[in-house]
Amino acid sequence: MSNTPGSRVALVTGGSGGIGQSVVERLVADGFAVAVHYAGNKQKAQTLVEKVTTSGGQAIAVGGDVADENAMASAFDAVEQAFGGVDVVVNTAGIMILSTVAELDLADLDRMHRTNIRGSFVVSQQAAKRVRSGGAIINFSTSQTRMQHPTYAPYAASKAAVEVLTLVLARELRGKDITVNAVAPGPTATALFLEGKDQATIDRLAGLAPLERLGTPEDVAETVAHLAGPARWINGQTIFPNGGIA
Protein backbone atom coordinates (compact mmCIF):
# COMPACT_ATOMS: atom_id res chain seq x y z
CA MET A 1 0.00 0.00 0.00
CA SER A 2 1.46 3.36 -0.98
CA ASN A 3 0.82 6.62 0.75
CA THR A 4 -1.21 9.24 -1.07
CA PRO A 5 1.05 12.25 -1.73
CA GLY A 6 0.43 14.98 0.81
CA SER A 7 -1.47 12.86 3.34
CA ARG A 8 -0.14 12.63 6.85
CA VAL A 9 0.60 9.38 8.66
CA ALA A 10 -0.35 8.41 12.22
CA LEU A 11 0.53 5.41 14.38
CA VAL A 12 -2.02 4.74 17.13
CA THR A 13 -0.89 2.28 19.80
CA GLY A 14 -3.75 0.45 21.45
CA GLY A 15 -5.65 1.34 18.30
CA SER A 16 -8.07 -1.54 18.62
CA GLY A 17 -9.24 -0.42 22.09
CA GLY A 18 -12.24 1.77 22.90
CA ILE A 19 -10.55 5.17 22.87
CA GLY A 20 -7.91 4.01 20.40
CA GLN A 21 -10.51 2.96 17.86
CA SER A 22 -12.26 6.33 18.05
CA VAL A 23 -8.90 8.07 17.60
CA VAL A 24 -8.18 5.95 14.52
CA GLU A 25 -11.58 6.71 13.00
CA ARG A 26 -11.27 10.44 13.69
CA LEU A 27 -7.77 10.70 12.23
CA VAL A 28 -8.86 8.79 9.13
CA ALA A 29 -11.75 11.24 8.76
CA ASP A 30 -9.16 14.04 8.92
CA GLY A 31 -7.29 12.47 6.01
CA PHE A 32 -4.57 10.56 7.85
CA ALA A 33 -3.20 7.21 6.78
CA VAL A 34 -3.26 5.27 10.03
CA ALA A 35 -1.39 2.29 11.48
CA VAL A 36 -3.61 0.49 14.00
CA HIS A 37 -1.40 -1.08 16.65
CA TYR A 38 -2.51 -4.05 18.72
CA ALA A 39 -0.86 -6.00 21.52
CA GLY A 40 -3.00 -9.13 21.68
CA ASN A 41 -6.15 -8.78 19.59
CA LYS A 42 -4.97 -8.94 15.99
CA GLN A 43 -8.43 -9.76 14.65
CA LYS A 44 -10.00 -6.68 16.22
CA ALA A 45 -7.29 -4.46 14.73
CA GLN A 46 -7.66 -6.13 11.33
CA THR A 47 -11.44 -5.64 11.42
CA LEU A 48 -10.93 -1.92 12.05
CA VAL A 49 -8.40 -1.74 9.19
CA GLU A 50 -10.89 -3.41 6.85
CA LYS A 51 -13.59 -0.96 7.93
CA VAL A 52 -11.28 1.97 7.15
CA THR A 53 -10.07 0.66 3.81
CA THR A 54 -13.57 -0.35 2.68
CA SER A 55 -14.62 3.26 3.26
CA GLY A 56 -11.76 4.52 1.10
CA GLY A 57 -9.24 5.29 3.84
CA GLN A 58 -5.70 4.02 4.28
CA ALA A 59 -4.79 1.78 7.21
CA ILE A 60 -2.61 -1.14 8.20
CA ALA A 61 -2.36 -3.23 11.38
CA VAL A 62 0.91 -3.53 13.31
CA GLY A 63 1.46 -5.67 16.40
CA GLY A 64 3.78 -5.89 19.36
CA ASP A 65 4.32 -5.29 23.06
CA VAL A 66 4.76 -1.53 23.56
CA ALA A 67 7.35 -2.23 26.28
CA ASP A 68 9.51 -4.27 23.88
CA GLU A 69 11.86 -1.89 22.10
CA ASN A 70 12.59 -4.35 19.28
CA ALA A 71 8.90 -4.98 18.62
CA MET A 72 8.19 -1.25 18.54
CA ALA A 73 11.15 -0.56 16.25
CA SER A 74 9.70 -3.15 13.90
CA ALA A 75 6.24 -1.57 14.14
CA PHE A 76 7.63 1.86 13.24
CA ASP A 77 9.60 0.22 10.39
CA ALA A 78 6.37 -1.29 9.05
CA VAL A 79 4.60 2.08 9.13
CA GLU A 80 7.47 3.80 7.33
CA GLN A 81 7.60 1.04 4.74
CA ALA A 82 3.84 1.21 4.08
CA PHE A 83 3.34 4.98 4.13
CA GLY A 84 6.77 6.59 3.75
CA GLY A 85 7.13 8.07 7.24
CA VAL A 86 5.41 8.92 10.52
CA ASP A 87 3.93 12.33 11.37
CA VAL A 88 1.85 11.63 14.47
CA VAL A 89 2.19 9.03 17.22
CA VAL A 90 -0.75 8.57 19.60
CA ASN A 91 0.05 6.25 22.49
CA THR A 92 -3.27 5.11 23.95
CA ALA A 93 -1.96 1.69 25.03
CA GLY A 94 -2.23 1.15 28.77
CA ILE A 95 -3.63 -1.07 31.50
CA MET A 96 -5.51 -0.18 34.68
CA ILE A 97 -5.56 -2.29 37.84
CA LEU A 98 -7.39 -0.83 40.82
CA SER A 99 -6.42 -1.53 44.43
CA THR A 100 -5.76 0.27 47.66
CA VAL A 101 -2.10 0.88 48.38
CA ALA A 102 -2.25 -1.43 51.40
CA GLU A 103 -3.67 -4.36 49.44
CA LEU A 104 -1.99 -4.03 46.04
CA ASP A 105 -0.33 -7.14 44.64
CA LEU A 106 3.11 -5.82 43.68
CA ALA A 107 3.14 -8.10 40.65
CA ASP A 108 0.23 -6.00 39.37
CA LEU A 109 2.23 -2.85 40.04
CA ASP A 110 5.11 -4.24 37.97
CA ARG A 111 2.72 -5.20 35.16
CA MET A 112 1.22 -1.70 35.05
CA HIS A 113 4.62 -0.07 35.17
CA ARG A 114 5.84 -2.23 32.30
CA THR A 115 3.01 -1.21 29.98
CA ASN A 116 2.21 2.29 31.20
CA ILE A 117 5.67 3.66 32.02
CA ARG A 118 8.19 1.54 30.10
CA GLY A 119 5.75 1.20 27.19
CA SER A 120 5.20 4.95 27.01
CA PHE A 121 8.95 5.50 27.21
CA VAL A 122 9.73 2.99 24.45
CA VAL A 123 7.07 4.44 22.13
CA SER A 124 8.17 8.00 22.92
CA GLN A 125 11.80 7.06 22.28
CA GLN A 126 10.97 5.66 18.86
CA ALA A 127 8.72 8.63 18.11
CA ALA A 128 11.42 11.13 19.10
CA LYS A 129 13.74 9.53 16.53
CA ARG A 130 11.20 8.98 13.75
CA VAL A 131 8.43 11.60 13.71
CA ARG A 132 8.86 14.03 10.84
CA SER A 133 9.12 17.79 11.23
CA GLY A 134 5.70 19.34 11.74
CA GLY A 135 4.50 16.26 13.59
CA ALA A 136 3.07 15.48 17.01
CA ILE A 137 3.59 12.97 19.81
CA ILE A 138 0.56 12.41 22.03
CA ASN A 139 0.77 10.25 25.15
CA PHE A 140 -2.08 9.29 27.47
CA SER A 141 -2.41 10.07 31.16
CA THR A 142 -5.60 10.20 33.25
CA SER A 143 -7.59 12.80 35.17
CA GLN A 144 -7.13 10.51 38.18
CA THR A 145 -3.74 12.17 38.67
CA ARG A 146 -5.77 15.16 39.91
CA MET A 147 -8.85 13.47 41.41
CA GLN A 148 -7.16 11.33 44.10
CA HIS A 149 -9.93 8.71 44.23
CA PRO A 150 -9.20 5.73 46.51
CA THR A 151 -7.93 2.56 44.73
CA TYR A 152 -6.49 4.60 41.82
CA ALA A 153 -3.08 5.33 43.38
CA PRO A 154 -1.08 2.62 41.54
CA TYR A 155 -2.62 3.46 38.15
CA ALA A 156 -2.49 7.24 38.63
CA ALA A 157 1.13 7.03 39.78
CA SER A 158 2.09 5.24 36.56
CA LYS A 159 0.28 7.87 34.51
CA ALA A 160 1.86 10.75 36.45
CA ALA A 161 5.19 9.33 35.27
CA VAL A 162 3.89 9.47 31.69
CA GLU A 163 3.02 13.15 32.13
CA VAL A 164 6.53 14.02 33.31
CA LEU A 165 8.11 12.00 30.50
CA THR A 166 5.91 13.81 27.99
CA LEU A 167 6.54 17.33 29.25
CA VAL A 168 10.32 16.85 29.40
CA LEU A 169 10.41 15.30 25.92
CA ALA A 170 8.65 18.38 24.55
CA ARG A 171 11.61 20.48 25.75
CA GLU A 172 14.18 17.99 24.48
CA LEU A 173 12.80 18.20 20.94
CA ARG A 174 13.55 21.94 20.70
CA GLY A 175 14.17 22.99 17.12
CA LYS A 176 12.55 19.94 15.51
CA ASP A 177 9.03 21.43 15.08
CA ILE A 178 7.45 18.46 16.86
CA THR A 179 4.83 19.02 19.57
CA VAL A 180 4.62 16.64 22.53
CA ASN A 181 1.54 16.61 24.75
CA ALA A 182 -0.39 14.32 27.10
CA VAL A 183 -4.14 13.74 27.05
CA ALA A 184 -5.65 12.90 30.44
CA PRO A 185 -9.30 11.81 30.10
CA GLY A 186 -11.80 11.65 32.91
CA PRO A 187 -14.38 8.85 33.24
CA THR A 188 -15.10 7.72 29.69
CA ALA A 189 -17.82 5.31 28.58
CA THR A 190 -15.74 2.55 27.07
CA ALA A 191 -16.58 -1.14 27.39
CA LEU A 192 -13.56 -1.56 29.67
CA PHE A 193 -14.68 1.30 31.94
CA LEU A 194 -18.30 0.13 32.16
CA GLU A 195 -17.44 -3.52 32.83
CA GLY A 196 -18.31 -4.63 36.35
CA LYS A 197 -20.03 -1.36 37.34
CA ASP A 198 -23.68 -1.29 38.35
CA GLN A 199 -25.98 1.46 37.11
CA ALA A 200 -25.82 3.37 40.40
CA THR A 201 -22.02 3.56 40.17
CA ILE A 202 -22.18 4.68 36.53
CA ASP A 203 -24.76 7.35 37.40
CA ARG A 204 -22.63 8.60 40.31
CA LEU A 205 -19.56 8.91 38.10
CA ALA A 206 -21.57 10.60 35.37
CA GLY A 207 -22.76 13.17 37.90
CA LEU A 208 -19.27 14.21 38.98
CA ALA A 209 -18.70 16.51 36.01
CA PRO A 210 -20.58 19.83 35.78
CA LEU A 211 -21.77 18.67 32.35
CA GLU A 212 -23.40 15.70 34.14
CA ARG A 213 -22.45 12.89 31.81
CA LEU A 214 -19.63 10.48 31.15
CA GLY A 215 -17.17 11.34 28.44
CA THR A 216 -17.29 9.39 25.20
CA PRO A 217 -14.38 7.98 23.20
CA GLU A 218 -15.33 10.52 20.53
CA ASP A 219 -14.86 13.38 23.03
CA VAL A 220 -11.32 12.21 23.68
CA ALA A 221 -10.61 11.63 19.98
CA GLU A 222 -11.66 15.24 19.32
CA THR A 223 -8.89 16.45 21.64
CA VAL A 224 -6.35 14.13 20.03
CA ALA A 225 -7.31 15.31 16.54
CA HIS A 226 -6.79 18.92 17.59
CA LEU A 227 -3.32 18.16 18.94
CA ALA A 228 -2.49 16.01 15.89
CA GLY A 229 -3.53 18.68 13.43
CA PRO A 230 -4.09 22.40 13.88
CA ALA A 231 -2.91 22.86 17.48
CA ARG A 232 0.71 23.71 16.70
CA TRP A 233 1.02 26.21 19.57
CA ILE A 234 -0.01 23.71 22.25
CA ASN A 235 3.20 22.00 23.32
CA GLY A 236 4.53 20.47 26.53
CA GLN A 237 1.07 20.40 28.11
CA THR A 238 -1.32 17.95 29.73
CA ILE A 239 -4.87 18.40 28.41
CA PHE A 240 -7.82 17.17 30.49
CA PRO A 241 -10.88 16.21 28.43
CA ASN A 242 -13.12 15.49 31.40
CA GLY A 243 -16.09 17.84 31.32
CA GLY A 244 -14.75 19.94 34.21
CA ILE A 245 -14.48 17.07 36.68
CA ALA A 246 -11.03 18.14 37.91
Side-chain angles (χ1 to χ4, degrees):
M1 183 185 299
S2 62
N3 186 30
T4 301
S7 66
R8 302 179 80 211
V9 179
L11 167 61
V12 181
T13 72
S16 60
I19 289 175
Q21 181 170 335
S22 288
V23 168
V24 167
E25 291 173 343
R26 175 55 197 270
L27 293 180
V28 168
D30 285 350
F32 280 82
V34 178
V36 181
H37 163 270
Y38 62 91
N41 198 332
K42 181 177 182 178
Q43 185 53 54
K44 193 172 180 183
Q46 197 58 50
T47 298
L48 178 55
V49 167
E50 290 168 6
K51 178 181 177 182
V52 169
T53 54
T54 300
S55 302
Q58 297 183 89
I60 61 170
V62 295
D65 175 4
V66 290
D68 181 334
E69 63 272 29
N70 296 316
M72 285 302 96
S74 296
F76 274 79
D77 287 344
V79 180
E80 291 175 345
Q81 184 175 0
F83 297 128
V86 182
D87 299 292
V88 172
V89 174
V90 185
N91 187 29
T92 76
I95 60 174
M96 179 172 67
I97 300 169
L98 302 183
S99 171
T100 62
V101 172
E103 297 170 336
L104 178 68
D105 182 336
L106 293 179
D108 287 338
L109 182 69
D110 291 342
R111 198 151 61 90
M112 260 195 301
H113 278 202
R114 176 175 169 78
T115 297
N116 295 358
I117 299 178
R118 181 184 168 92
S120 294
F121 199 100
V122 167
V123 172
S124 293
Q125 187 175 65
Q126 287 293 324
K129 297 174 181 178
R130 310 254 200 153
V131 169
R132 295 185 287 203
S133 179
I137 301 169
I138 303 163
N139 283 321
F140 263 66
S141 179
T142 171
S143 290
Q144 285 294 344
T145 58
R146 304 298 188 273
M147 293 162 66
Q148 290 95 41
H149 285 165
T151 75
Y152 280 89
Y155 173 68
S158 73
K159 289 299 191 177
V162 173
E163 286 187 25
V164 174
L165 159 68
T166 302
L167 306 193
V168 172
L169 180 58
R171 278 76 186 175
E172 290 180 349
L173 295 184
R174 172 181 290 273
K176 295 185 179 293
D177 191 25
I178 297 169
T179 62
V180 190
N181 294 287
V183 174
T188 305
T190 63
L192 183 65
F193 173 82
L194 296 173
E195 183 180 354
K197 293 182 173 70
D198 59 26
Q199 192 59 48
T201 300
I202 293 169
D203 290 344
R204 178 181 61 79
L205 292 168
L208 291 176
L211 296 179
E212 296 189 325
R213 67 172 177 86
L214 292 174
T216 67
E218 292 76 18
D219 289 326
V220 180
E222 178 76 26
T223 300
V224 171
H226 188 55
L227 294 172
R232 300 305 301 167
W233 199 233
I234 300 177
N235 187 31
Q237 305 297 318
T238 301
I239 310 297
F240 295 88
N242 61 26
I245 201 169

